[in-house]
Amino acid sequence: MLRVCLKGANSAARKCLCGNGVPLHPLQQCRSYTSGGSGSSAGKIVAASVLTMGGGVGGTILYANWDPKFRANVEKSIPYSDQVFGLALGPAAPPPVINKPRKVEPVQISSMSEVWKDSKQPKAKEVQRKAEQPDAEGPPAPAPQETLEEASAQVAQILSAIGEVPSVPAPGTHEAEAVPPPAALKGVPAAAAKCTECEHEPAVKERPEGEVAARLAEQDKAEQDLLTSLSSNLEDALGSTAKVTLQAIGAQEAALQAIAQHTRQLREAMEAEAPPDKKSTQWRVLEDALSERSRSVDEAGAAVLKAKAELDKLRGVIDGAKHLKIAAARPSILAAEENLHSMVVDLDSVVTRVQTAQSEAKIVSQYSELVNEAKAQFQKELNSITPEIQANWKGLTGKLTQDDLNSLIAHAHRRIDQLNRELAEQRVREQIHIDSALEQQKLEDKKALEVAISTALEHNREQMRLEQEKKVEETREVMEAEMRTQLRRQAAAHTDHLRDVLKVQEQELRSEAEEILNSSLMEKETEYRRLTQDQLDSFTLDMNAAYARLKGMEEAIDSHVIAEEEARKAHQLWLSVEALNYTLKTAALNDPTEPLEGAVQAIKESCAEDEFAQALATALPSESLSRGVYSEASLRARFYTIRQLARRVALIDETRNSLYQYFLSYLQAMLLFEKAQEAPPAKLSAEDLDTFKLLSYAAYSLEHGDLELAAKLVNQLKGESRRVAQDWLKEARLTLETKQVVSLLSAYANAVGLGTTMAP
Amino acid sequence: MAEEQGRKWDRCLADSAVKLATGLGVGIVFSVLFFKRRTWPVVFGLGVGLGMGYSNCQQDFRSPYLLHGHMVKEQ
């Protein structure tokens, strides 16, 4: 690619040189090539970025799958990520919610509301209005006591379920609170009466309050139990009556329906002109309808009876509840009474409807009976005239003869005449009947009116009573609130009084306690002082004894120290002497020893106050100190060269010392043989003073380790041989001297050491 | 002290050798220059050299025994 580009560039450059318009193409081509080239690299870049993104997203999803917190964070921060997560991983696990108990009541309410809706529309509004009044009373009530909240909430829920009333916790608690104040009223006077005594006996004061509280609690509990039982009873009774009433109403409705159907069918059967077989089916259907109607009517009657019985029972329960006189139950009682009332009203209305239907049906049935009677009579007449003809004469027109027909027509005419006459009679009687009927109707109307008036009056009376009771409730609540505030004030005054009294008592007790504390402290202190004094005395005694012992020990130690010091010094002296001895042994074969100065210095230091040792130390020759001495072995070895030399110059002395003499002396040394070693005699005679003899004596004594004798003998040499052996002699003398002093010192050190170790 | 003898001998011999050589040389020189290459100056020179060396040696060996007297002039 690059080459192509370059080529292009080159050609472009060339062409640039040639002309101007052309170069754009190759450049463009170049560019396209480069874009192509870069296109693939761009594709690579795109692919790489896609891969990275995909990897990032996949990694995020995997980690979100593993860590729910991270998933929540991502969902919060990135919009629509929750959808992606939902697609990829499924929904996140939501936190569990406890809602079941709440849902039960709404279901109940809804069912009951459906049940009651159609029959209670006008009444429901009144009930709600009445229920809202205790609501209004509820909130202004003071804060409820906590011990009764749960129970009152339950009661409120039950009430709401029964009566389609929104939950009213306040009245329940209010009612419950209305009870403790009366109980507290009973308890507080007792407490107040006892409190006057309590100023001197603080322990007794607390008791009555506690008892009161306990009694209050008991009363509350009892009332609560009663309330719950009552409410449950009411609820049961209401429920059963409602059910039964519903059933009764349903049965009544069914009866109504059956009656209506029956009458309709009857009318149809009366008026319709159907062929005989259909007629029979009709009549059969009619009979079924009749039976059904009677059955349903019976059922309805039974249901009504049952409902009435239940209503009476409910009324009895309500009266019983009223007799218990528990304030908390009043609204429930009121509501139950209202329900009862409405149920009774409904039942009555349905019963009246059924009765009207029944009366209508009766009319129709009577009508049908009359028609049947007429038909039967007509049939009888027909049969009497024409016995062969069967009942269904309408279908037999083809089979009748002329005479039969004529007789039938004559019979019909006669019948018509008869009927006309009856009709005229009837018309005459009609008026009378109408009048009587009108009067009867008036009477009945009056009765009905009276009944209706009485029922309406009763209803109104009930309502008024209920309203009155509600008002009484309100006033009672207000009164109780006021009572409570007053009681609270009294309780506050009581607590203040208690506080003051307690303060005074506290002061007194404190002062008493302080006195006691001080006296006991004084006692303890004197006791403590005495004890410490005893301790101190005994301690002093012990200390003195210890001190005396210590002194004795110190003296003993000092004496020991002195003895040890002596011993140490002797030891040191001995050590230094040993060191000196050792240095004497350090002589190599032909070299002198180490200079003895250090060792001698050590000796001088170690026996600074010992004069004898000091004298001895100073007696050492200085040469030995500075240069060291030769060992015996080296002197011995050296002696042999000295001997050779001394032999060679044996003839040379002061008088003979020319070279010729030297030659002669060498000749003599070569030719003269003597014993290598000869034992020296105890006394030296004159002839023993010969050089060669002396030398052999000295050799012998040296061989036998007697450096001193050898030195003495060598000292007897004369002349040049003496001069030759001079420095050997000097060395030998030094060595001998040093050895003597050292042996003296060591003997002295041993003696001193021995002396010191013998000390006790 | 023992080495003194050795040292003396060394000195002596070295000295003698030098004197000998010197005498020889002088003799040769004299012989060549003045005495027409005769041998007797060479020998004479050798002898002179030897004698001088011998005398020196002897003097060296004798040195410890030499007494130096002082003449005290009586006034």
Side-chain angles (χ1 to χ4, degrees), chain A residues 532-563:
Chain A
T532 49
Q533 195 58 43
D534 290 342
Q535 260 187 358
L536 210 66
D537 292 338
S538 63
F539 185 66
T540 318
L541 271 169
D542 289 339
M543 282 301 289
N544 285 336
Y547 188 69
R549 278 182 35 214
L550 184 68
K551 274 274 171 235
M553 278 201 310
E554 268 182 8
E555 282 179 20
I557 286 166
D558 286 341
S559 61
H560 268 287
V561 158
I562 291 162

CSV table of all heavy atoms in Angstrom, one decimal, chain A residues 532-563:
chain,number,residue,atom,x,y,z
A,532,THR,N,0.3,1.0,112.5
A,532,THR,CA,1.5,1.4,111.8
A,532,THR,C,2.6,1.6,112.8
A,532,THR,O,3.8,1.2,112.6
A,532,THR,CB,1.3,2.7,111.0
A,532,THR,OG1,0.6,3.6,111.9
A,532,THR,CG2,0.5,2.5,109.8
A,533,GLN,N,2.2,2.1,114.0
A,533,GLN,CA,3.3,2.3,115.0
A,533,GLN,C,3.9,1.0,115.5
A,533,GLN,O,5.1,0.9,115.6
A,533,GLN,CB,2.6,3.1,116.2
A,533,GLN,CG,3.7,3.7,117.2
A,533,GLN,CD,4.6,4.6,116.5
A,533,GLN,OE1,4.1,5.5,115.7
A,533,GLN,NE2,5.8,4.6,116.7
A,534,ASP,N,3.0,0.0,115.7
A,534,ASP,CA,3.5,-1.3,116.1
A,534,ASP,C,4.5,-1.8,115.0
A,534,ASP,O,5.5,-2.4,115.3
A,534,ASP,CB,2.3,-2.3,116.2
A,534,ASP,CG,1.5,-1.9,117.5
A,534,ASP,OD1,2.1,-1.2,118.3
A,534,ASP,OD2,0.4,-2.4,117.5
A,535,GLN,N,4.0,-1.7,113.8
A,535,GLN,CA,4.8,-2.2,112.7
A,535,GLN,C,6.2,-1.5,112.7
A,535,GLN,O,7.2,-2.2,112.5
A,535,GLN,CB,4.1,-1.9,111.4
A,535,GLN,CG,3.4,-3.1,110.8
A,535,GLN,CD,2.8,-2.9,109.5
A,535,GLN,OE1,2.9,-1.8,108.9
A,535,GLN,NE2,2.2,-3.9,108.9
A,536,LEU,N,6.1,-0.2,112.9
A,536,LEU,CA,7.4,0.5,112.8
A,536,LEU,C,8.4,0.0,113.9
A,536,LEU,O,9.6,-0.1,113.7
A,536,LEU,CB,7.1,2.0,113.0
A,536,LEU,CG,8.0,3.0,112.4
A,536,LEU,CD1,7.9,2.8,110.9
A,536,LEU,CD2,7.6,4.4,112.7
A,537,ASP,N,7.8,-0.2,115.1
A,537,ASP,CA,8.7,-0.6,116.2
A,537,ASP,C,9.3,-2.0,115.9
A,537,ASP,O,10.6,-2.1,116.1
A,537,ASP,CB,7.9,-0.7,117.5
A,537,ASP,CG,7.4,0.6,118.0
A,537,ASP,OD1,8.1,1.6,117.6
A,537,ASP,OD2,6.4,0.7,118.8
A,538,SER,N,8.5,-2.9,115.5
A,538,SER,CA,9.1,-4.2,115.2
A,538,SER,C,10.1,-4.1,114.1
A,538,SER,O,11.2,-4.7,114.1
A,538,SER,CB,7.9,-5.1,114.8
A,538,SER,OG,7.3,-4.7,113.6
A,539,PHE,N,9.8,-3.3,113.2
A,539,PHE,CA,10.7,-3.1,112.0
A,539,PHE,C,12.0,-2.5,112.5
A,539,PHE,O,13.1,-2.9,112.1
A,539,PHE,CB,10.1,-2.1,111.0
A,539,PHE,CG,10.9,-2.0,109.8
A,539,PHE,CD1,11.1,-3.0,108.9
A,539,PHE,CD2,11.4,-0.8,109.5
A,539,PHE,CE1,11.8,-2.9,107.8
A,539,PHE,CE2,12.2,-0.6,108.3
A,539,PHE,CZ,12.4,-1.7,107.5
A,540,THR,N,12.0,-1.6,113.4
A,540,THR,CA,13.2,-0.9,113.9
A,540,THR,C,14.1,-2.0,114.7
A,540,THR,O,15.3,-2.1,114.4
A,540,THR,CB,12.9,0.2,114.9
A,540,THR,OG1,11.8,1.0,114.4
A,540,THR,CG2,14.1,1.1,115.2
A,541,LEU,N,13.4,-2.8,115.4
A,541,LEU,CA,14.1,-3.9,116.1
A,541,LEU,C,14.9,-4.8,115.1
A,541,LEU,O,16.1,-5.1,115.2
A,541,LEU,CB,13.2,-4.7,116.9
A,541,LEU,CG,12.9,-4.3,118.4
A,541,LEU,CD1,11.7,-5.0,119.0
A,541,LEU,CD2,14.2,-4.5,119.2
A,542,ASP,N,14.1,-5.2,114.1
A,542,ASP,CA,14.7,-6.1,113.1
A,542,ASP,C,15.9,-5.4,112.5
A,542,ASP,O,16.9,-6.0,112.2
A,542,ASP,CB,13.7,-6.4,112.1
A,542,ASP,CG,12.6,-7.4,112.6
A,542,ASP,OD1,12.9,-8.0,113.6
A,542,ASP,OD2,11.5,-7.4,112.1
A,543,MET,N,15.7,-4.1,112.2
A,543,MET,CA,16.7,-3.4,111.5
A,543,MET,C,18.0,-3.3,112.3
A,543,MET,O,19.1,-3.5,111.8
A,543,MET,CB,16.3,-2.0,111.2
A,543,MET,CG,15.3,-1.9,110.0
A,543,MET,SD,16.1,-2.5,108.5
A,543,MET,CE,17.2,-1.2,108.2
A,544,ASN,N,17.8,-3.1,113.6
A,544,ASN,CA,19.0,-3.0,114.5
A,544,ASN,C,19.8,-4.3,114.5
A,544,ASN,O,21.0,-4.4,114.3
A,544,ASN,CB,18.6,-2.7,115.9
A,544,ASN,CG,18.3,-1.2,116.0
A,544,ASN,OD1,18.7,-0.4,115.2
A,544,ASN,ND2,17.4,-0.8,116.9
A,545,ALA,N,19.0,-5.4,114.7
A,545,ALA,CA,19.6,-6.7,114.7
A,545,ALA,C,20.4,-6.9,113.4
A,545,ALA,O,21.5,-7.4,113.4
A,545,ALA,CB,18.6,-7.8,114.9
A,546,ALA,N,19.7,-6.6,112.3
A,546,ALA,CA,20.3,-6.9,111.0
A,546,ALA,C,21.6,-6.0,110.9
A,546,ALA,O,22.6,-6.5,110.3
A,546,ALA,CB,19.3,-6.5,109.9
A,547,TYR,N,21.5,-4.8,111.4
A,547,TYR,CA,22.7,-3.9,111.3
A,547,TYR,C,23.9,-4.5,112.0
A,547,TYR,O,25.0,-4.5,111.5
A,547,TYR,CB,22.3,-2.5,111.8
A,547,TYR,CG,23.4,-1.5,111.5
A,547,TYR,CD1,23.7,-1.1,110.2
A,547,TYR,CD2,24.1,-1.0,112.6
A,547,TYR,CE1,24.7,-0.2,110.0
A,547,TYR,CE2,25.1,-0.1,112.4
A,547,TYR,CZ,25.4,0.3,111.1
A,547,TYR,OH,26.3,1.3,110.9
A,548,ALA,N,23.6,-5.0,113.2
A,548,ALA,CA,24.7,-5.5,114.0
A,548,ALA,C,25.3,-6.7,113.2
A,548,ALA,O,26.6,-6.8,113.1
A,548,ALA,CB,24.2,-6.0,115.3
A,549,ARG,N,24.5,-7.5,112.7
A,549,ARG,CA,25.0,-8.7,111.9
A,549,ARG,C,25.8,-8.2,110.8
A,549,ARG,O,26.9,-8.8,110.4
A,549,ARG,CB,23.9,-9.6,111.5
A,549,ARG,CG,23.5,-10.5,112.6
A,549,ARG,CD,22.4,-11.4,112.4
A,549,ARG,NE,22.4,-12.0,111.1
A,549,ARG,CZ,21.2,-12.3,110.5
A,549,ARG,NH1,20.1,-12.1,111.1
A,549,ARG,NH2,21.2,-12.8,109.3
A,550,LEU,N,25.3,-7.2,110.2
A,550,LEU,CA,26.0,-6.7,109.0
A,550,LEU,C,27.4,-6.2,109.4
A,550,LEU,O,28.4,-6.5,108.7
A,550,LEU,CB,25.2,-5.6,108.4
A,550,LEU,CG,25.7,-5.0,107.1
A,550,LEU,CD1,25.7,-6.1,106.0
A,550,LEU,CD2,25.0,-3.8,106.7
A,551,LYS,N,27.4,-5.5,110.5
A,551,LYS,CA,28.7,-5.0,110.9
A,551,LYS,C,29.7,-6.2,111.1
A,551,LYS,O,30.8,-6.1,110.6
A,551,LYS,CB,28.6,-4.2,112.2
A,551,LYS,CG,28.2,-2.8,112.0
A,551,LYS,CD,29.5,-2.0,111.7
A,551,LYS,CE,29.1,-0.6,111.3
A,551,LYS,NZ,29.7,-0.2,110.1
A,552,GLY,N,29.3,-7.2,111.8
A,552,GLY,CA,30.1,-8.3,112.1
A,552,GLY,C,30.6,-8.9,110.8
A,552,GLY,O,31.8,-9.3,110.6
A,553,MET,N,29.7,-9.1,109.9
A,553,MET,CA,30.0,-9.7,108.6
A,553,MET,C,31.1,-8.8,107.9
A,553,MET,O,32.0,-9.3,107.3
A,553,MET,CB,28.8,-9.8,107.7
A,553,MET,CG,28.0,-11.0,108.1
A,553,MET,SD,26.9,-11.7,106.8
A,553,MET,CE,26.0,-10.2,106.4
A,554,GLU,N,30.9,-7.5,107.9
A,554,GLU,CA,31.8,-6.6,107.2
A,554,GLU,C,33.2,-6.8,107.8
A,554,GLU,O,34.2,-6.9,107.0
A,554,GLU,CB,31.4,-5.2,107.4
A,554,GLU,CG,30.4,-4.8,106.2
A,554,GLU,CD,30.0,-3.3,106.4
A,554,GLU,OE1,30.6,-2.6,107.3
A,554,GLU,OE2,29.2,-2.9,105.6
A,555,GLU,N,33.3,-6.9,109.1
A,555,GLU,CA,34.7,-7.0,109.7
A,555,GLU,C,35.3,-8.3,109.3
A,555,GLU,O,36.5,-8.3,108.9
A,555,GLU,CB,34.5,-7.0,111.2
A,555,GLU,CG,34.4,-5.6,111.7
A,555,GLU,CD,34.3,-5.5,113.2
A,555,GLU,OE1,34.7,-6.5,113.9
A,555,GLU,OE2,33.8,-4.5,113.7
A,556,ALA,N,34.5,-9.3,109.3
A,556,ALA,CA,35.1,-10.6,108.9
A,556,ALA,C,35.6,-10.5,107.4
A,556,ALA,O,36.6,-11.0,107.1
A,556,ALA,CB,34.0,-11.7,109.0
A,557,ILE,N,34.7,-9.9,106.6
A,557,ILE,CA,35.1,-9.8,105.2
A,557,ILE,C,36.4,-9.0,105.1
A,557,ILE,O,37.2,-9.3,104.2
A,557,ILE,CB,33.9,-9.2,104.4
A,557,ILE,CG1,32.8,-10.2,104.3
A,557,ILE,CG2,34.4,-8.7,103.1
A,557,ILE,CD1,31.5,-9.7,103.8
A,558,ASP,N,36.5,-7.9,105.8
A,558,ASP,CA,37.7,-7.1,105.7
A,558,ASP,C,38.9,-7.8,106.0
A,558,ASP,O,39.9,-7.8,105.3
A,558,ASP,CB,37.6,-5.8,106.6
A,558,ASP,CG,36.6,-4.8,106.1
A,558,ASP,OD1,36.3,-4.9,104.9
A,558,ASP,OD2,36.1,-4.0,106.9
A,559,SER,N,38.8,-8.6,107.1
A,559,SER,CA,40.0,-9.3,107.5
A,559,SER,C,40.3,-10.4,106.4
A,559,SER,O,41.5,-10.5,106.0
A,559,SER,CB,39.8,-10.1,108.8
A,559,SER,OG,38.7,-10.9,108.7
A,560,HIS,N,39.3,-10.9,105.9
A,560,HIS,CA,39.5,-11.9,104.8
A,560,HIS,C,40.1,-11.2,103.6
A,560,HIS,O,41.0,-11.7,102.9
A,560,HIS,CB,38.1,-12.5,104.3
A,560,HIS,CG,37.8,-13.7,105.0
A,560,HIS,ND1,38.5,-14.9,104.7
A,560,HIS,CD2,37.0,-14.0,106.0
A,560,HIS,CE1,38.0,-15.9,105.5
A,560,HIS,NE2,37.1,-15.3,106.3
A,561,VAL,N,39.6,-9.9,103.4
A,561,VAL,CA,40.1,-9.2,102.2
A,561,VAL,C,41.6,-9.0,102.4
A,561,VAL,O,42.4,-9.2,101.4
A,561,VAL,CB,39.4,-7.8,102.1
A,561,VAL,CG1,40.2,-6.8,101.3
A,561,VAL,CG2,38.0,-8.0,101.4
A,562,ILE,N,42.0,-8.6,103.6
A,562,ILE,CA,43.4,-8.3,103.8
A,562,ILE,C,44.3,-9.6,103.5
A,562,ILE,O,45.2,-9.6,102.7
A,562,ILE,CB,43.7,-7.9,105.2
A,562,ILE,CG1,43.1,-6.5,105.4
A,562,ILE,CG2,45.2,-7.9,105.5
A,562,ILE,CD1,42.9,-6.1,106.8
A,563,ALA,N,43.8,-10.7,104.1
A,563,ALA,CA,44.5,-11.9,103.8
A,563,ALA,C,44.6,-12.3,102.4
A,563,ALA,O,45.6,-12.7,101.8
A,563,ALA,CB,43.8,-13.1,104.6
